[in-house]
Amino acid sequence: MPDTRLPFDDSAPKQATNVSLNSDLLAQAKTLGIDVARACERGLADQIAEVRDQAWREENRSAIESSNAYVEAHGLPLAKNRPY
């Protein structure tokens, strides 16, 4: 069963690849018993999430700006219902 907390399908088959890594980082990882492949997957997943987030923000820039302009002009919707 896939881990739903991960932003990718952890059960997908592995694919061999050649990656050049900083030798000092690799030595430290080995000394500390870090699973390098797993750490690389996590780093790649983080980078993918960051790029997708930036793309979403760019694609929705006009809607975000419009919403912000509305709030600046009219205040937050339902603000009168806030308990403070």
Side-chain angles (χ1 to χ4, degrees):
M1 172 178 280
D3 186 339
T4 57
R5 296 170 296 169
L6 297 174
F8 61 96
D9 182 0
D10 194 39
S11 66
K14 302 292 181 185
Q15 180 174 337
T17 186
N18 292 326
V19 177
S20 296
L21 301 173
N22 177 288
S23 60
D24 183 49
L25 285 175
L26 187 57
Q28 289 184 54
K30 286 183 178 183
T31 298
L32 295 169
I34 294 172
D35 181 339
V36 174
R38 189 69 176 155
C40 287
E41 283 181 347
R42 249 183 23 216
L44 186 56
D46 289 347
Q47 185 68 39
I48 288 168
E50 184 179 316
V51 169
R52 285 184 174 165
D53 180 59
Q54 185 60 38
W56 183 90
R57 289 174 187 269
E58 188 58 37
E59 290 167 7
N60 293 283
R61 179 186 301 275
S62 65
I64 294 167
E65 289 173 352
S66 174
S67 178
N68 288 341
Y70 178 89
V71 170
E72 284 183 34
H74 305 284
L76 289 171
L78 305 176
K80 64 182 178 188
N81 297 324
R82 289 183 165 206
Y84 56 88

